[in-house]
Structures are given as C-alpha cells and as structure tokens.
Amino acid sequence: MWEWTLGEKGWDFDTQLQSVSPSKRADVVRTLKNALIGSLQRKTRFVQAGVVQSLVRLLREHNTSSHDPDVAAQAAMAIGSLAHGDDFHRRAACVDEVISALLAGLGSNTEVVRVSCARSLRAIYNTGIAPVNVVQDQARETLECLVSQIDTDSVVSETAAVLVTRCFFTEESKVLVKESGLLAALLRQLQNPQTESHCTALLAAFESLTEKSEYIGTYLVSLKPPLHLQLLELIRIHIFKDKLPIRKYATACVVNLYPYFDTTAKLSMELTHHILMNILTFLKDEDDIVKGEAARMLSKIVEDNPRLEAICLKADVPQTLGNLLEALEFTRHSKLCSEALAAAAALCSRSEDCRELVAKTKAISLTMLAIKSNNVALQCAGLRLILSFSRSIRHLRTTLNKRELGTQICELVQKSDNDVKCLATKILSNMVLEFSPMRKEIISSEILPVLVQGLSSPCCQVKSLSAGAIKNLSSHYKDTNVISKILHELSFQKTKEMLFDADLQLQTLGLLRNLACSATANVVHMCQSFGGNKETMELLCSILDTNVEDETWQETLYILCNVAASGDVEHKDTITQSGSCVQAILQGLRHQSMNVKISALRCTINLTKSEGSDERKAILTQHDFLNALESIGESPNASLKSLAREALSHMTIS
C-alpha cells in the first residue's frame, strides 16, 4: 500500500493515481484522507498542491460513469476533512465546484457515496461560510434527493437539517421545503433522533424554518399534536433533554411558534411558563452567546403580550435581567448589552411593576452609555428601553427627568439612521406631553424645524412620527409662543400636502384640531397662516371627498367644531356659508358611526348656540338639519339623544 510521508516534497497526487492499477486507486485516496486527518500542515500543503481539484474530478467521474464507488466515497471524505481545519482549509472546501460535486454525489446509486457526500456537506455547511447559491440554484433537485434518501441514514437526515438551516432561510424557499415533502420528513425524524448532534441539527432546522414565517408557523401549530407540544415532550423526557443546545433550539423554536397558538388556553400558558424557566436558565449561563440568544427569545415572547406580566414577575425575570446588565462590561459586551436592553424594553413596555424593578438596577445607567455610543444596535436598544419608561407618567417625572434627557433625545432625532431617528422621535412625542417636566426644555430647543424637515423624509415612518411629535407639541394650545412657532414652520402648501398624504393625514388633522382648540387668537392665527378663513375650511372638507374612514370624518368635524367654538362670529359664518362645510356636517349627522355623529352634533351646537346666529340657523334649516336632528333624537343611545335635543333647542329662530 502507498504511504504518505511528510518528508516527501513535490508529491503529485494525480501521478500517484495513474501509477497504480484501478483496483488500488481507492487505497491511494484513502491514504490521502487519513493523512489529512488531524494535521493542519498536511492540509495546507495538499490545498496548495491543488489536490482539492483532483478530488472534485474523482467525484465527478463517479457521477458520470461506473468508476469504483469507494474512490468517490474516500474523495468526498477527504474534502470533508478540510472543513475541520483552519480558515484557509475551510475556504478551500467551501467553493462552488466542491459543493456542486458533493450535491451530485447525494444522488449516487451507491449508499457509501451518498453517506460520504452527505457527511462532507454537513461538515462544510457547519462552518458557516459555505456558499448558499449552489444549493439555492439546485433547490428542487436537492430537496427531492434529500427526501428520497432521508430515512436511509441519520447522517443524510442530519445533513438535510443543516442544509435547511443554512440555505433555506427566505419565505419562498421555506415554502419549497414544505411542498417538497422535506418538512414532513424532518418531522418524522424528530420523533426519534439517533444522536445528540442529529437532534440538535433537526431542532436548529425547525428554529430556522419557524423564524418570522407565518406560513410555516401556522402549519406546524395546526398539526395534531402541534409541534410546540411535541417539542415540549421532547425536552421533558428525551434522553438528550439535559443538553443545553437541545433545550436552547427547542425553546427558540417554541418562541417562534408562540404568536400562532392560543395563549389563553391553559395548556399553552403552562407551556409558556416552562419556556420562561428555560430562558431564565439560559440568561444565567456562562456563555455570552447563550445569554444573548436567551435575551432575544425573551424579547419575542413578552412583546405585546400583557398576559405574561404576572408570570415574568413571579419568575423574577426583571431582576434576572437587571443582574445580567449589572454584571456586563459595556465596552467588552456591546452585543450582549444591546440584546439584554432590548429584552428589558420589551418587558417594561406595558408593565409598571416591571419598570419599577428594572429602574432599581443599573439598566438606566447602562442605557445612558448606550445612546451615546456609535453603535447603532446599542443605541436602538437603549432608546427602546427609554421609550418603555417614557410611556409612564411616573417615570417621565422621576427616572428620566433626573437624567436630563431632553437635549440628548433632540440630538438623536437629527441622526441619519432611520431606526435611531424613529425611536428618538417616539420618545420626544411622549416627552412633550402636558404632564412631562421635560417639555419646556424640548420646546425651547430648535427641534421644530428638524421635525418639519422630517415631514419630507422618504421614510414613511419618519414622516408619520415627525407629524405625531408636532401634533403633541401643538397640544400646548395655551402657549401662544408654541403655536406661533408651529404655524411659522408650516405653510399652507405644506399643510395641504400633509392632508392629502395617506401617511400623514390623521396626524395632520389632529394637529389642526389642537391648533383650533379653544382660543380665538389661535384660530385667527391658523386661518391667516393657511390663506384665510374660507380657504382653510374648504381645504378641510375637500379631503372628505376622497376619504370616508370614520376617524377621518371624526377628526375633520372636530376641527370645524373647535373653530365654531372659538367665539368668533366670522369663523362661524364662514362655516355655514360654505356649502361643502354644511354638507360635511349634515353627512356626519347621518353617518353610521356614533363617534362621527357626536362630533357633528357638537359642531351644530357650537354654530347655533350664540347670539346673532339666526342666519346660520336658517341656512342649516334649509339643508334639512331639523329632520336629521329629530331622527337622532329618537336614538336609544343616551349620549346621542341628549346632544340632539340640545342642538334642536338651539335651532329655534328668534
């Protein structure tokens, strides 16, 4: 038998193959494979000598002719051994021509070749650097081959799971996995995994398949029994149940499935508690990667799910997160910090008790460092936690106010990154509300021009949030300085554009409603800024020709209501002398929505209750307002009936 010795230089693999009889070729390749195992130096020399290309050629010869299958099997295993080397060796194996040859080998008529190619593909794709394009380009053929071979050997099954995890991550490709039958085959394999690595690979595949996929998630939850209960059973009783990777992937998969099953069911809540216990264990693990994945799982499972508050509090989840954050060194653990802060933000988004517990830790101090960093992910995580606290009146006045955050948030609104800008703008919107002690600091800054500039952003969310922040600023209608600043920045043309922009319309209507609130001076100022009384009223009613959403009707009529309530006769007359305004109010009285009717009734009352309103009453009477009011007066709803009767009492012409 031929033997490889490290001292030989200039050894030519192809020459050696040609010098032996065909029956001995397998021995040459086997000796090569054995020489590669465990020796980085030999791997390097073989790669530099171009042996990889020779091994690929041997694989292709087997795929196209009846060459000795043992030669192809040994060649495949030799290539696979490179995946266990250093980065130079792995990159030599992770090339398109190698992947293509191994995929072709999966379709071999000989089991030893199929298994050897599967084993090598598994090793190569577990490196995390293998190209996915070759598998994706041959997706249907590869899936068909895997489905036909998956039950023959656990190595093929494990390889199939690894390929699914690494290469089938788009929604379209996940649908293909299901339609090909491979998803069903993987489910069968999950019933009885043969080894720990087999079980881990299967669970990793299901975690990947269920990640942000409603199609796969809904299907797996509809199974009988559903997948999340199968996984719960697996991590409770299986021989591998105590293995951390097994529990981690199974838990992550259930977290991905969580949005698709009924959390009101008792069994599901028990499952949730079990999952939380696993996540808590992972948060306390020594491995930072495991902690980070646990934090991401926690974010998913508690986000927008207030039912979990009691379970999280009982399980000491806020304290565990707080302890984790306190133990982190900001400069060394930036990724883990961002994941833990994001989890804390999700936990605090709706729970005052959770906010109180997290506030007692060093989480807020870490947040202040995070938003000052140059790391966008870290900034966003810190801003999410601040946003959670800014939803609380108590913490706006205490926890956040102590930090003098107003100026910093205004600076972040001006950042170029849209995620940072959006989060900062959301916080700003809360900070300028009437009960916030930070509103004066923000109002005195030059943030308004920045927000107005945001209205022209190509990002729809930035536009909408900027409009929302300006609307909240306008809620200080008693502060004429604020109103003047807003009206100075917003031209008539700009306001018109906002009203006819679907992303901004409701926010703009809310802004105008605030501007027209209570004070005559505000209404005068607004109408003058927007081109005059008639132009402003006509503009408002024109949007009702194209948008009949209930909320749009309600907001528009309340603007007219506020203008009519200002006490200025000229403004009231402008409304009743505008045919479009009168028709809008009349349609509001006849609208199916109770809220729209109420806004129309209040508008009618404000137009008719003051002295000298006979002319306005006559106009409304001519437009059949009396019949509309009498019809509402017969409503079984007490609020509608009361307002309709009040309006009717004002309609009598003196």
mmCIF file of all heavy atoms in Angstrom, residues 505-506 509-510 513 540 543-559 584 587-600:
data_model
loop_
_atom_site.group_PDB
_atom_site.id
_atom_site.type_symbol
_atom_site.label_atom_id
_atom_site.label_comp_id
_atom_site.label_asym_id
_atom_site.label_seq_id
_atom_site.Cartn_x
_atom_site.Cartn_y
_atom_site.Cartn_z
ATOM 1 N N GLN A 505 -52.136 62.024 7.061
ATOM 2 C CA GLN A 505 -53.434 62.696 7.119
ATOM 3 C C GLN A 505 -54.018 62.776 8.530
ATOM 4 O O GLN A 505 -54.390 63.855 9.007
ATOM 5 C CB GLN A 505 -54.422 61.990 6.191
ATOM 6 C CG GLN A 505 -55.717 62.760 6.020
ATOM 7 C CD GLN A 505 -56.622 62.092 5.010
ATOM 8 O OE1 GLN A 505 -57.274 61.094 5.336
ATOM 9 N NE2 GLN A 505 -56.657 62.610 3.795
ATOM 10 N N LEU A 506 -54.110 61.651 9.223
ATOM 11 C CA LEU A 506 -54.717 61.658 10.558
ATOM 12 C C LEU A 506 -53.905 62.487 11.547
ATOM 13 O O LEU A 506 -54.468 63.203 12.382
ATOM 14 C CB LEU A 506 -54.885 60.226 11.066
ATOM 15 C CG LEU A 506 -56.061 59.445 10.477
ATOM 16 C CD1 LEU A 506 -56.049 58.011 10.963
ATOM 17 C CD2 LEU A 506 -57.389 60.110 10.843
ATOM 18 N N LEU A 509 -54.647 66.130 10.795
ATOM 19 C CA LEU A 509 -55.961 66.515 11.303
ATOM 20 C C LEU A 509 -55.918 66.724 12.818
ATOM 21 O O LEU A 509 -56.510 67.672 13.343
ATOM 22 C CB LEU A 509 -56.999 65.451 10.944
ATOM 23 C CG LEU A 509 -57.393 65.371 9.463
ATOM 24 C CD1 LEU A 509 -58.239 64.135 9.202
ATOM 25 C CD2 LEU A 509 -58.141 66.623 9.026
ATOM 26 N N GLY A 510 -55.201 65.840 13.509
ATOM 27 C CA GLY A 510 -55.048 66.009 14.959
ATOM 28 C C GLY A 510 -54.305 67.288 15.305
ATOM 29 O O GLY A 510 -54.630 67.976 16.282
ATOM 30 N N ARG A 513 -56.652 70.154 14.734
ATOM 31 C CA ARG A 513 -57.655 70.155 15.820
ATOM 32 C C ARG A 513 -57.092 70.830 17.068
ATOM 33 O O ARG A 513 -57.779 71.601 17.735
ATOM 34 C CB ARG A 513 -58.074 68.716 16.118
ATOM 35 C CG ARG A 513 -59.097 68.580 17.235
ATOM 36 C CD ARG A 513 -59.503 67.124 17.406
ATOM 37 N NE ARG A 513 -60.326 66.930 18.578
ATOM 38 C CZ ARG A 513 -60.839 65.755 18.957
ATOM 39 N NH1 ARG A 513 -60.600 64.676 18.225
ATOM 40 N NH2 ARG A 513 -61.576 65.661 20.042
ATOM 41 N N LEU A 540 -60.218 71.695 4.454
ATOM 42 C CA LEU A 540 -60.545 70.628 5.392
ATOM 43 C C LEU A 540 -61.618 69.703 4.833
ATOM 44 O O LEU A 540 -61.506 68.478 4.899
ATOM 45 C CB LEU A 540 -61.019 71.226 6.722
ATOM 46 C CG LEU A 540 -59.943 71.824 7.613
ATOM 47 C CD1 LEU A 540 -60.570 72.594 8.763
ATOM 48 C CD2 LEU A 540 -59.035 70.733 8.149
ATOM 49 N N ILE A 543 -61.046 66.915 1.782
ATOM 50 C CA ILE A 543 -60.495 65.556 1.963
ATOM 51 C C ILE A 543 -61.603 64.531 2.160
ATOM 52 O O ILE A 543 -61.400 63.334 1.945
ATOM 53 C CB ILE A 543 -59.501 65.484 3.150
ATOM 54 C CG1 ILE A 543 -60.214 65.737 4.468
ATOM 55 C CG2 ILE A 543 -58.348 66.432 2.967
ATOM 56 C CD1 ILE A 543 -59.340 65.471 5.672
ATOM 57 N N LEU A 544 -62.793 64.988 2.566
ATOM 58 C CA LEU A 544 -63.896 64.053 2.777
ATOM 59 C C LEU A 544 -64.445 63.523 1.466
ATOM 60 O O LEU A 544 -65.201 62.559 1.448
ATOM 61 C CB LEU A 544 -65.008 64.729 3.583
ATOM 62 C CG LEU A 544 -64.609 65.149 5.005
ATOM 63 C CD1 LEU A 544 -65.761 65.860 5.694
ATOM 64 C CD2 LEU A 544 -64.159 63.953 5.827
ATOM 65 N N ASP A 545 -64.070 64.135 0.354
ATOM 66 C CA ASP A 545 -64.493 63.633 -0.951
ATOM 67 C C ASP A 545 -63.732 62.369 -1.336
ATOM 68 O O ASP A 545 -64.199 61.577 -2.133
ATOM 69 C CB ASP A 545 -64.264 64.694 -2.040
ATOM 70 C CG ASP A 545 -65.143 65.924 -1.818
ATOM 71 O OD1 ASP A 545 -66.198 65.772 -1.181
ATOM 72 O OD2 ASP A 545 -64.748 67.014 -2.262
ATOM 73 N N THR A 546 -62.548 62.212 -0.755
ATOM 74 C CA THR A 546 -61.693 61.093 -1.170
ATOM 75 C C THR A 546 -61.463 60.074 -0.061
ATOM 76 O O THR A 546 -60.973 58.991 -0.311
ATOM 77 C CB THR A 546 -60.314 61.621 -1.624
ATOM 78 O OG1 THR A 546 -59.737 62.378 -0.552
ATOM 79 C CG2 THR A 546 -60.462 62.506 -2.847
ATOM 80 N N ASN A 547 -61.791 60.426 1.164
ATOM 81 C CA ASN A 547 -61.513 59.522 2.278
ATOM 82 C C ASN A 547 -62.710 59.489 3.205
ATOM 83 O O ASN A 547 -63.105 60.498 3.762
ATOM 84 C CB ASN A 547 -60.272 60.008 3.043
ATOM 85 C CG ASN A 547 -59.762 58.952 4.003
ATOM 86 O OD1 ASN A 547 -60.532 58.204 4.604
ATOM 87 N ND2 ASN A 547 -58.461 58.873 4.150
ATOM 88 N N VAL A 548 -63.309 58.323 3.344
ATOM 89 C CA VAL A 548 -64.512 58.209 4.163
ATOM 90 C C VAL A 548 -64.280 57.352 5.407
ATOM 91 O O VAL A 548 -65.212 56.812 5.983
ATOM 92 C CB VAL A 548 -65.690 57.634 3.341
ATOM 93 C CG1 VAL A 548 -66.145 58.615 2.288
ATOM 94 C CG2 VAL A 548 -65.298 56.302 2.692
ATOM 95 N N GLU A 549 -63.025 57.193 5.826
ATOM 96 C CA GLU A 549 -62.741 56.472 7.061
ATOM 97 C C GLU A 549 -63.387 57.205 8.238
ATOM 98 O O GLU A 549 -63.379 58.437 8.306
ATOM 99 C CB GLU A 549 -61.228 56.362 7.290
ATOM 100 C CG GLU A 549 -60.501 55.485 6.293
ATOM 101 C CD GLU A 549 -60.854 54.019 6.448
ATOM 102 O OE1 GLU A 549 -61.167 53.603 7.583
ATOM 103 O OE2 GLU A 549 -60.832 53.301 5.433
ATOM 104 N N ASP A 550 -63.923 56.446 9.171
ATOM 105 C CA ASP A 550 -64.629 57.050 10.308
ATOM 106 C C ASP A 550 -63.758 58.045 11.069
ATOM 107 O O ASP A 550 -64.216 59.130 11.453
ATOM 108 C CB ASP A 550 -65.089 55.955 11.279
ATOM 109 C CG ASP A 550 -66.196 55.094 10.687
ATOM 110 O OD1 ASP A 550 -66.615 55.372 9.549
ATOM 111 O OD2 ASP A 550 -66.632 54.141 11.356
ATOM 112 N N GLU A 551 -62.508 57.667 11.306
ATOM 113 C CA GLU A 551 -61.630 58.527 12.103
ATOM 114 C C GLU A 551 -61.339 59.838 11.377
ATOM 115 O O GLU A 551 -61.210 60.896 12.002
ATOM 116 C CB GLU A 551 -60.327 57.786 12.433
ATOM 117 C CG GLU A 551 -59.554 58.416 13.573
ATOM 118 C CD GLU A 551 -58.385 57.562 14.025
ATOM 119 O OE1 GLU A 551 -58.196 56.452 13.492
ATOM 120 O OE2 GLU A 551 -57.648 58.012 14.923
ATOM 121 N N THR A 552 -61.239 59.779 10.056
ATOM 122 C CA THR A 552 -61.014 60.993 9.273
ATOM 123 C C THR A 552 -62.216 61.924 9.381
ATOM 124 O O THR A 552 -62.072 63.139 9.571
ATOM 125 C CB THR A 552 -60.749 60.637 7.801
ATOM 126 O OG1 THR A 552 -59.621 59.773 7.727
ATOM 127 C CG2 THR A 552 -60.488 61.885 6.971
ATOM 128 N N TRP A 553 -63.418 61.359 9.253
ATOM 129 C CA TRP A 553 -64.635 62.150 9.443
ATOM 130 C C TRP A 553 -64.649 62.808 10.828
ATOM 131 O O TRP A 553 -64.914 64.009 10.965
ATOM 132 C CB TRP A 553 -65.866 61.247 9.316
ATOM 133 C CG TRP A 553 -66.363 61.089 7.907
ATOM 134 C CD1 TRP A 553 -66.127 60.043 7.070
ATOM 135 C CD2 TRP A 553 -67.190 61.997 7.189
ATOM 136 N NE1 TRP A 553 -66.745 60.239 5.869
ATOM 137 C CE2 TRP A 553 -67.410 61.437 5.913
ATOM 138 C CE3 TRP A 553 -67.751 63.233 7.486
ATOM 139 C CZ2 TRP A 553 -68.175 62.068 4.945
ATOM 140 C CZ3 TRP A 553 -68.519 63.872 6.528
ATOM 141 C CH2 TRP A 553 -68.730 63.291 5.271
ATOM 142 N N GLN A 554 -64.386 62.003 11.823
ATOM 143 C CA GLN A 554 -64.465 62.493 13.206
ATOM 144 C C GLN A 554 -63.491 63.644 13.457
ATOM 145 O O GLN A 554 -63.856 64.688 14.010
ATOM 146 C CB GLN A 554 -64.181 61.331 14.169
ATOM 147 C CG GLN A 554 -64.333 61.681 15.635
ATOM 148 C CD GLN A 554 -64.008 60.484 16.522
ATOM 149 O OE1 GLN A 554 -63.986 59.353 16.069
ATOM 150 N NE2 GLN A 554 -63.765 60.746 17.791
ATOM 151 N N GLU A 555 -62.224 63.458 13.044
ATOM 152 C CA GLU A 555 -61.215 64.488 13.278
ATOM 153 C C GLU A 555 -61.540 65.773 12.512
ATOM 154 O O GLU A 555 -61.396 66.881 13.034
ATOM 155 C CB GLU A 555 -59.828 63.973 12.867
ATOM 156 C CG GLU A 555 -59.242 62.938 13.808
ATOM 157 C CD GLU A 555 -58.943 63.509 15.182
ATOM 158 O OE1 GLU A 555 -58.377 64.615 15.280
ATOM 159 O OE2 GLU A 555 -59.296 62.856 16.174
ATOM 160 N N THR A 556 -62.001 65.627 11.252
ATOM 161 C CA THR A 556 -62.327 66.808 10.446
ATOM 162 C C THR A 556 -63.473 67.600 11.073
ATOM 163 O O THR A 556 -63.423 68.835 11.181
ATOM 164 C CB THR A 556 -62.710 66.387 9.013
ATOM 165 O OG1 THR A 556 -61.638 65.641 8.443
ATOM 166 C CG2 THR A 556 -62.999 67.601 8.140
ATOM 167 N N LEU A 557 -64.514 66.897 11.508
ATOM 168 C CA LEU A 557 -65.664 67.578 12.114
ATOM 169 C C LEU A 557 -65.297 68.229 13.442
ATOM 170 O O LEU A 557 -65.839 69.289 13.793
ATOM 171 C CB LEU A 557 -66.818 66.592 12.284
ATOM 172 C CG LEU A 557 -67.470 66.124 10.969
ATOM 173 C CD1 LEU A 557 -68.493 65.030 11.225
ATOM 174 C CD2 LEU A 557 -68.127 67.293 10.241
ATOM 175 N N TYR A 558 -64.367 67.621 14.187
ATOM 176 C CA TYR A 558 -63.954 68.234 15.448
ATOM 177 C C TYR A 558 -63.136 69.510 15.220
ATOM 178 O O TYR A 558 -63.136 70.417 16.047
ATOM 179 C CB TYR A 558 -63.181 67.244 16.314
ATOM 180 C CG TYR A 558 -64.079 66.497 17.287
ATOM 181 C CD1 TYR A 558 -64.147 65.115 17.275
ATOM 182 C CD2 TYR A 558 -64.864 67.195 18.204
ATOM 183 C CE1 TYR A 558 -64.983 64.434 18.156
ATOM 184 C CE2 TYR A 558 -65.697 66.525 19.086
ATOM 185 C CZ TYR A 558 -65.755 65.141 19.053
ATOM 186 O OH TYR A 558 -66.584 64.486 19.924
ATOM 187 N N ILE A 559 -62.428 69.579 14.096
ATOM 188 C CA ILE A 559 -61.736 70.833 13.769
ATOM 189 C C ILE A 559 -62.769 71.933 13.527
ATOM 190 O O ILE A 559 -62.669 73.047 14.057
ATOM 191 C CB ILE A 559 -60.834 70.664 12.527
ATOM 192 C CG1 ILE A 559 -59.714 69.663 12.815
ATOM 193 C CG2 ILE A 559 -60.236 72.020 12.121
ATOM 194 C CD1 ILE A 559 -58.921 69.257 11.594
ATOM 195 N N ALA A 584 -70.770 68.535 4.801
ATOM 196 C CA ALA A 584 -69.937 67.628 5.602
ATOM 197 C C ALA A 584 -70.562 67.388 6.966
ATOM 198 O O ALA A 584 -70.616 66.250 7.455
ATOM 199 C CB ALA A 584 -68.533 68.212 5.746
ATOM 200 N N GLN A 587 -73.758 65.238 6.547
ATOM 201 C CA GLN A 587 -73.397 63.824 6.328
ATOM 202 C C GLN A 587 -72.905 63.187 7.616
ATOM 203 O O GLN A 587 -73.140 62.007 7.872
ATOM 204 C CB GLN A 587 -72.316 63.727 5.245
ATOM 205 C CG GLN A 587 -72.822 64.034 3.839
ATOM 206 C CD GLN A 587 -71.716 63.909 2.802
ATOM 207 O OE1 GLN A 587 -71.084 62.865 2.680
ATOM 208 N NE2 GLN A 587 -71.475 64.986 2.069
ATOM 209 N N GLY A 588 -72.217 63.979 8.450
ATOM 210 C CA GLY A 588 -71.778 63.471 9.746
ATOM 211 C C GLY A 588 -72.947 63.113 10.636
ATOM 212 O O GLY A 588 -72.914 62.102 11.356
ATOM 213 N N LEU A 589 -74.014 63.918 10.613
ATOM 214 C CA LEU A 589 -75.216 63.618 11.401
ATOM 215 C C LEU A 589 -75.891 62.333 10.930
ATOM 216 O O LEU A 589 -76.540 61.627 11.718
ATOM 217 C CB LEU A 589 -76.215 64.778 11.297
ATOM 218 C CG LEU A 589 -75.804 66.099 11.964
ATOM 219 C CD1 LEU A 589 -76.819 67.190 11.629
ATOM 220 C CD2 LEU A 589 -75.674 65.938 13.473
ATOM 221 N N ARG A 590 -75.750 62.030 9.652
ATOM 222 C CA ARG A 590 -76.391 60.833 9.083
ATOM 223 C C ARG A 590 -75.429 59.639 9.007
ATOM 224 O O ARG A 590 -75.807 58.581 8.482
ATOM 225 C CB ARG A 590 -76.907 61.161 7.679
ATOM 226 C CG ARG A 590 -78.054 62.178 7.693
ATOM 227 C CD ARG A 590 -78.377 62.668 6.305
ATOM 228 N NE ARG A 590 -79.577 63.519 6.289
ATOM 229 C CZ ARG A 590 -79.958 64.249 5.264
ATOM 230 N NH1 ARG A 590 -79.237 64.259 4.138
ATOM 231 N NH2 ARG A 590 -81.048 64.984 5.330
ATOM 232 N N HIS A 591 -74.244 59.819 9.521
ATOM 233 C CA HIS A 591 -73.217 58.766 9.443
ATOM 234 C C HIS A 591 -73.575 57.585 10.345
ATOM 235 O O HIS A 591 -74.256 57.739 11.359
ATOM 236 C CB HIS A 591 -71.857 59.353 9.871
ATOM 237 C CG HIS A 591 -70.682 58.598 9.336
ATOM 238 N ND1 HIS A 591 -70.209 57.434 9.910
ATOM 239 C CD2 HIS A 591 -69.874 58.828 8.262
ATOM 240 C CE1 HIS A 591 -69.170 57.007 9.236
ATOM 241 N NE2 HIS A 591 -68.936 57.826 8.227
ATOM 242 N N GLN A 592 -73.106 56.404 9.982
ATOM 243 C CA GLN A 592 -73.393 55.204 10.778
ATOM 244 C C GLN A 592 -72.617 55.181 12.089
ATOM 245 O O GLN A 592 -73.071 54.612 13.084
ATOM 246 C CB GLN A 592 -73.053 53.945 9.970
ATOM 247 C CG GLN A 592 -73.971 53.727 8.769
ATOM 248 C CD GLN A 592 -73.627 52.458 8.020
ATOM 249 O OE1 GLN A 592 -72.564 51.873 8.207
ATOM 250 N NE2 GLN A 592 -74.559 52.022 7.172
ATOM 251 N N SER A 593 -71.441 55.797 12.114
ATOM 252 C CA SER A 593 -70.597 55.769 13.313
ATOM 253 C C SER A 593 -71.141 56.712 14.383
ATOM 254 O O SER A 593 -71.412 57.886 14.130
ATOM 255 C CB SER A 593 -69.166 56.175 12.950
ATOM 256 O OG SER A 593 -68.423 56.464 14.118
ATOM 257 N N MET A 594 -71.275 56.210 15.615
ATOM 258 C CA MET A 594 -71.748 57.034 16.718
ATOM 259 C C MET A 594 -70.778 58.173 16.997
ATOM 260 O O MET A 594 -71.184 59.310 17.268
ATOM 261 C CB MET A 594 -71.914 56.184 17.981
ATOM 262 C CG MET A 594 -72.508 56.954 19.162
ATOM 263 S SD MET A 594 -72.593 55.984 20.677
ATOM 264 C CE MET A 594 -70.868 56.004 21.166
ATOM 265 N N ASN A 595 -69.471 57.906 16.937
ATOM 266 C CA ASN A 595 -68.475 58.937 17.226
ATOM 267 C C ASN A 595 -68.516 60.068 16.199
ATOM 268 O O ASN A 595 -68.336 61.239 16.537
ATOM 269 C CB ASN A 595 -67.075 58.327 17.272
ATOM 270 C CG ASN A 595 -66.875 57.447 18.487
ATOM 271 O OD1 ASN A 595 -67.487 57.679 19.532
ATOM 272 N ND2 ASN A 595 -66.025 56.439 18.368
ATOM 273 N N VAL A 596 -68.742 59.718 14.938
ATOM 274 C CA VAL A 596 -68.851 60.745 13.899
ATOM 275 C C VAL A 596 -70.100 61.587 14.137
ATOM 276 O O VAL A 596 -70.078 62.823 14.023
ATOM 277 C CB VAL A 596 -68.881 60.105 12.493
ATOM 278 C CG1 VAL A 596 -69.148 61.172 11.428
ATOM 279 C CG2 VAL A 596 -67.557 59.394 12.205
ATOM 280 N N LYS A 597 -71.218 60.937 14.495
ATOM 281 C CA LYS A 597 -72.447 61.672 14.793
ATOM 282 C C LYS A 597 -72.245 62.638 15.956
ATOM 283 O O LYS A 597 -72.717 63.786 15.917
ATOM 284 C CB LYS A 597 -73.572 60.692 15.136
ATOM 285 C CG LYS A 597 -74.164 59.979 13.937
ATOM 286 C CD LYS A 597 -75.291 59.049 14.370
ATOM 287 C CE LYS A 597 -75.891 58.352 13.150
ATOM 288 N NZ LYS A 597 -76.954 57.400 13.539
ATOM 289 N N ILE A 598 -71.555 62.195 16.991
ATOM 290 C CA ILE A 598 -71.322 63.054 18.158
ATOM 291 C C ILE A 598 -70.522 64.290 17.757
ATOM 292 O O ILE A 598 -70.831 65.413 18.170
ATOM 293 C CB ILE A 598 -70.602 62.262 19.268
ATOM 294 C CG1 ILE A 598 -71.574 61.259 19.908
ATOM 295 C CG2 ILE A 598 -70.033 63.197 20.332
ATOM 296 C CD1 ILE A 598 -70.932 60.340 20.927
ATOM 297 N N SER A 599 -69.487 64.113 16.944
ATOM 298 C CA SER A 599 -68.681 65.267 16.523
ATOM 299 C C SER A 599 -69.516 66.232 15.677
ATOM 300 O O SER A 599 -69.395 67.454 15.801
ATOM 301 C CB SER A 599 -67.441 64.798 15.746
ATOM 302 O OG SER A 599 -67.808 64.073 14.590
ATOM 303 N N ALA A 600 -70.400 65.694 14.831
ATOM 304 C CA ALA A 600 -71.272 66.553 14.006
ATOM 305 C C ALA A 600 -72.288 67.289 14.879
ATOM 306 O O ALA A 600 -72.603 68.462 14.638
ATOM 307 C CB ALA A 600 -71.981 65.710 12.952
#
